Structure formats: structure tokens, C-alpha cells
Amino acid sequence: PETGCLSIIVLGASGDLAKKKTFPALFNLFQQGFLQSSEVHIFGYARTKLSDDELRDRIRGYLSQGKGASSEHSEHLSKFLQLIKYVSGPYDGEEGFQLLNKEISQHEISKNSQEGSSRRLFYLALPPSVYPSVCKMIRHHCMNLSHLGGWTRIVVEKPFGKDLGTAEALSSQLGELFNEPQLYRIDHYLGKELVQNLLVLRFANRFFLPLWNRDNIDNIQIVFREDFGTEGRGGYFDEYGIIRDIIQNHLLQVLCLVAMEKPVSLKPEHIRDEKVKVLQSVLPIQMEETVLGQYEGYKNDATVSDDSNTPTFATVVLRIHNERWEGVPFILKAGKALNSRKAEIRVQFKDVPGDIFKCKKQGRNEFVIRLQPSEAMYMKLTVKKPGLDMSTIQSELDLSYKQRYQGVTIPEAYERLILDTIRGDQQHFVRRDELRAAWEIFTPLLHRIDDGEVKPLPYKQGSRGPVEADELLARAGYIQTHGY
Ligand code: BG6
């Protein structure tokens, strides 16, 4: 691993994302010894005027919640907070970034008493509207120019644009300032344990290799549900909607890993090459295979417009036009304010031909990968019902992580991904051509929604979403099994 001084600069340090995700992830890495006090310094930058201690207090407050009075935790936390400094300034003003650069350089000089390289990681926990100006400021005032080597890397959060045109414009702006290996586009679903497991599962297991295709699989669902609405984020959400918030990025990334061909190797570029091919093979979305919903009460939020046409729920069938998947619907479904919080992949197999047990009505073979909560994988299969009769029941082969890997802490997605950015591993980040292909799939549908041509159907909070979505699921071939 590289050594030398590491500066982590969190832009938007006083905001919600930084407080809830970025700083906690950095703290976890610190606790596990990945960020050494002798090398690392963390800088917060934002417009709000705060002292170093005021920022530290905010972070301490959030990180101490529910931790009781564990002295080990508070000792670690105090050491971690000492690494943090704060600089305030505007996102488009030179002085702020010049001052930031001065602070970083001072830290580098103090830490690099022995010769070592300087590493600068800029984390943009900011709204995308300021990406271009912030990136310009970083490029002009804050690059690592050390003759001893090192790097400057930029981490950006979604949403990357609002449609193909705006995303491409943003990519070009950033592309003029930084080259692709310097840019890390985060999609935090790629940092989830069971999403990272998908390649291993598919390509390291003989069980799956011959079955993972149109000859055996009837349909695949990738589902995201939340049991709360957009409270507190209505302003942001109303501009973007569920397709841009969840489906175009998180669920589509999962689809790529489920559907892609075996990469030449585990090199990030080989993996991302295969993902792009999947995206490029997706056929245009059909309106008959799309159901949009908006939960009742969504518009009561003062930050949401009264005539909002924004979907908070969508079910969309994607069809992949290639040899492996022709005819297999990939059903992507996401919704807010539903009956449960869950993200899972459901692979439903075709019926067994010549069913001598007459067990069809008990349900098909189904392989479920639950990404959250309670990570698990289970296979629904038919077995003989224990007892004297020769009758059958549906049962499960179940690998629940909590039971199987007791005592193992599953890392948070952000923690893993930030470590990757420090290590320079881009496998779990979205490449520019991937982003483009993802927008190409959804832009026509998004424009029809934005133009008011298609309207979301109302659904009750705490329900399964519009019934039309279940009807679409049935038309796509999904056969409901017990407990779903
Ligand atoms: C974010 C979305 O990207 O993912 C949120 O903007 C959503 O709307 C969140 O709540 C869900 O993340 P997770 O990891 O809780 O599934």
C-alpha cells in the first residue's frame, strides 16, 4: 500500500450527507486502523461559518448517538475528531480554496518530514449544481503538485445529471478538468456486501453457471422498498423522482451484475466493460410495461409542488436483447412509503417439465438474494414433506448471514467505497460510458413524465403500491409465492 501524507477533504462538511454517511464511514475506517493519525488529516469545507470545534461537536453528537458511555468508543472518537480541521468559504470563490490549499499544504509539510508522497482525496458531499465550480476551484488551486508523487482524486455523489443531455454536459465539464482515473462516481449500492458478492456467486459456483440463462430462468425482479416517505427531502426528491433516485442508478447497477457475462479478469476495466455491454443491450422501455405511482399525502409536504407529477413508485420491465436473456423480463421496482423496508433480487426459475408430483401450485424454484435488511440468500425448492405420505412442500435452503457469520461485522457501503478510493480501486465505481448508457435507457421515459404525458397512479402509504404494478408483475410471468 502507498504511504505518505493523506488529506481527506470533505466538501459540504456541514451538510446531512457528510454527517450521516461520510464522517461515520471515515470514523469506522479510523477505528479499524485504516487511517493512521501519523499520516492522515481530514478537512471539512463548507459555506457555513464554524470553528473547528463546532464542526467536531456536530460530528461527535451524531457519532455518539446510541453508544452509551463506552469509554473505548469515546476515546477513539476524541482521537478521530482531533484529525479534523474546518475551512469555510464559498463554492465558487478563489480565496476559500486558496486558504484550503494553504491548510492542506501546511499539513503535508508537517507530516512529510521524511520524504513521502502526498495524497489528496476530495469528497464532494454537495448538490450537483455546484460540481462544476467546485471542481474548477480544486483543479486551479488545490491539486497535489508535489514532485515526490502522490495523487489527487475526486469523489462525486449521484445524481450525475437529470437526463442524458445534462449528464453528458456534466461529464464533459468534469472531463476537461480531471481524467477518468481521478474521478470516482459513487453508487453506494456497489458497496453493499451482497451486491459485491454477486460476481463470486455467479462465477465461482458450478451450480449457477449452467442455469443462469433464458433456458432456465423465467423472470428476475430487483426490488427496493422503503416504509417511509420523502419527509425532509421533498424539495430534492420532487425534482428527481424515484427513477432518478433509485432505479437508474442503484437497481440498474445491480441488474448489470446479475446479467453480465463473465469478465476476462477481475480488473476493474474488464468488469466495467461487461457492465456497459449489458446496458447497451437493453431495449427501449415500453409504456405498457411501466407502472408509476405517487403515494397519497406526498404533496402535503411544503417543499413539494401542489401539482407535482413526480413518481414515488415505479415498476419498469427491462428487456435485454442478447443470447443469454432474450425473452426474460427484468422487473425493476422501487417505491417510497410502502409496507416494508427491503431490497432484494428474486430469480424465478421456469416450471419443471413433466411435473409428476403435481406440485406446480406450491410454487416455483426461486433464488432470493436479500441485500437488506438482514443479508441473506435462500433457495425456494420443493422437497418431500417429512412423514409417511409421499407428498411435497416448498421449503428453503437458507444462508442468513447473521446466523452463519456470527460475530462478523458487515462493513457499511460508504466505508468500503471510501477505502477503495484511497487504494485507487475503481471496480465499484461508475465509469463515464456506463453512466451514459444508463441515462440512455431512462431518458425517453423521464421526459414523458416531466412533460406530464404520463401520470403516476395514487397509492396508499404503507401499501404494496398501485395494484396495477402487481398486475404487471403477473403479466411479466412472475408467480406469487407464499410470503411475498
Ligand atoms: C439514496 C437515495 O441514494 O439511497 C435515498 O437518495 C434512499 O432516497 C437511499 O433512501 C437508500 O439507501 P439504503 O442504503 O438505505 O438502501
Side-chain angles (χ1 to χ4, degrees):
E2 288 170 297
T3 53
C5 178
L6 171 63
S7 305
I8 300 174
I9 304 102
V10 181
L11 298 123
S14 59
D16 228 36
L17 177 71
K19 182 174 80 180
K20 292 187 179 153
K21 300 287 183 191
T22 323
F23 286 117
L26 290 171
F27 178 52
N28 282 348
L29 290 174
F30 175 77
Q31 274 186 305
Q32 293 168 74
F34 289 110
L35 304 179
Q36 299 288 341
S37 305
S38 56
E39 290 183 352
V40 179
H41 219 94
I42 299 170
F43 297 89
Y45 184 94
R47 282 179 305 202
T48 320
K49 292 239 173 315
L50 293 175
S51 65
D52 292 348
D53 280 337
E54 281 167 330
L55 178 69
R56 290 170 186 159
D57 286 344
R58 283 188 182 202
I59 300 169
R60 188 199 312 273
Y62 189 76
L63 286 174
S64 308
Q65 275 170 24
K67 292 287 173 203
S70 146
S71 66
E72 199 190 339
H73 181 267
S74 57
E75 203 179 302
H76 270 131
L77 189 52
S78 298
K79 282 192 187 147
F80 171 71
L81 292 173
Q82 282 316 306
L83 300 179
I84 301 177
K85 268 190 91 58
Y86 183 72
V87 178
S88 91
Y91 293 124
D92 53 0
E94 303 201 325
E95 301 92 86
F97 283 86
Q98 282 162 350
L99 181 62
L100 177 63
N101 187 54
K102 209 169 117 202
E103 295 280 349
I104 303 170
S105 304
Q106 269 170 9
H107 155 65
E108 287 171 349
I109 292 164
S110 73
K111 293 281 155 98
N112 279 346
S113 43
Q114 326 90 329
E115 306 255 300
S117 60
S118 297
R119 299 169 288 163
R120 295 187 176 190
L121 183 71
F122 290 88
Y123 192 108
L124 274 59
L126 288 170
S129 53
V130 297
Y131 287 175
S133 71
V134 167
C135 285
K136 214 190 239 163
M137 290 295 141
I138 297 173
R139 182 76 188 81
H140 294 318
H141 302 290
C142 300
M143 298 295 284
N144 163 39
L145 302 172
S146 164
H147 66 283
L148 298 170
W151 43 253
T152 302
R153 292 181 186 144
I154 313 291
V155 186
V156 285
E157 278 282 342
K158 67 152 239 279
F160 313 108
K162 282 195 77 179
D163 60 6
L164 181 58
T166 49
E168 275 294 290
L170 184 61
S171 290
S172 308
Q173 282 171 315
L174 300 197
E176 279 168 22
L177 301 168
F178 301 103
N179 53 35
E180 193 60 26
Q182 291 177 302
L183 284 171
Y184 288 72
R185 298 179 193 86
I186 276 207
D187 182 314
H188 80 279
Y189 266 59
L190 293 177
K192 291 191 185 278
E193 182 67 38
L194 284 200
V195 174
Q196 298 207 339
N197 186 45
L198 284 168
L199 287 193
V200 183
L201 195 70
R202 286 194 50 206
F203 300 118
N205 289 295
R206 192 72 199 219
F207 283 139
F208 296 113
L209 291 173
L211 296 183
W212 211 255
N213 55 41
R214 64 192 297 269
D215 298 333
N216 300 291
I217 292 176
D218 190 90
N219 61 76
I220 297 183
Q221 272 186 77
I222 303 172
V223 185
F224 166 96
R225 305 183 213 191
E226 265 176 355
D227 55 1
F228 48 89
T230 59
E231 300 87 3
R233 304 172 71 217
Y236 151 80
F237 192 88
D238 204 41
E239 207 186 314
Y240 288 91
I242 198 78
I243 296 177
R244 293 182 178 98
D245 191 45
I246 304 288
I247 301 183
Q248 180 268 355
N249 32 69
H250 303 330
L251 300 195
L252 200 57
Q253 284 294 326
V254 173
L255 175 141
C256 286
L257 295 168
V258 170
M260 67 187 251
E261 298 300 315
K262 190 192 244 176
V264 176
S265 77
L266 289 179
K267 287 200 180 113
E269 295 324 319
H270 287 155
I271 293 171
R272 299 195 295 178
D273 287 347
E274 293 305 329
K275 287 167 71 188
V276 172
K277 285 187 208 160
V278 173
L279 295 172
Q280 289 173 339
S281 309
V282 173
L283 295 173
I285 295 171
Q286 301 299 312
M287 279 322 294
E288 317 79 82
E289 293 199 308
T290 305
V291 172
L292 306 174
Q294 187 186 75
Y295 67 83
E296 291 169 1
Y298 169 69
K299 285 186 270 202
N300 296 344
D301 183 332
T303 56
V304 168
S305 79
D306 292 341
D307 58 352
S308 171
N309 198 39
T310 302
T312 58
F313 174 99
T315 299
V316 181
V317 177
L318 296 189
R319 301 203 172 254
I320 300 173
H321 184 62
N322 67 16
E323 201 172 321
R324 186 184 290 272
W325 295 119
E326 185 169 319
V328 180
F330 282 76
I331 306 154
L332 269 46
K333 178 160 133 186
K336 299 261 177 194
L338 296 178
N339 54 349
S340 61
R341 175 173 182 258
K342 204 184 259 190
E344 59 185 8
I345 305 164
R346 303 186 77 95
V347 181
Q348 194 167 74
F349 287 83
K350 289 183 188 288
D351 293 327
V352 171
D355 170 24
I356 54 172
F357 297 103
K358 309 271 181 283
C359 60
K360 204 166 154 180
K361 63 176 181 316
Q362 284 167 357
R364 286 170 164 169
N365 283 161
E366 193 166 356
F367 178 42
V368 184
I369 302 166
R370 190 163 64 230
L371 308 179
Q372 66 191 35
S374 312
E375 292 84 349
M377 291 185 262
Y378 56 94
M379 282 168 133
K380 290 178 167 255
L381 73 181
T382 302
V383 297
K384 179 186 164 303
K385 188 172 177 182
L388 291 175
D389 287 341
M390 190 57 194
S391 57
T392 58
I393 48 163
Q394 199 175 56
S395 195
E396 277 139 35
L397 278 178
D398 188 352
L399 173 61
S400 288
Y401 273 42
K402 266 211 190 82
Q403 273 124 43
R404 184 68 182 82
Y405 302 112
Q406 282 178 24
V408 177
T409 312
I410 295 180
E412 282 291 320
Y414 275 95
E415 186 182 325
R416 222 191 279 264
L417 294 175
I418 292 177
L419 189 59
D420 283 348
T421 62
I422 297 170
R423 290 174 168 165
D425 182 349
Q426 289 193 309
Q427 174 180 335
H428 304 295
F429 293 82
V430 182
R431 204 167 66 184
R432 181 173 173 175
D433 51 350
E434 245 181 286
L435 179 65
R436 185 191 159 84
W439 278 118
E440 270 171 354
I441 295 171
F442 286 101
T443 295
L445 172 62
L446 288 166
H447 283 174
R448 294 186 72 173
I449 301 170
D450 293 346
D451 294 346
E453 271 179 59
V454 273
K455 302 244 178 270
L457 302 163
Y459 66 94
K460 293 231 170 323
Q461 292 189 38
S463 70
R464 289 175 53 87
V467 285
E468 287 81 351
D470 280 336
E471 289 161 12
L472 171 59
L473 220 64
R475 282 207 306 283
Y478 183 75
I479 295 181
Q480 200 104 347
T481 51
H482 182 68
Y484 177 61

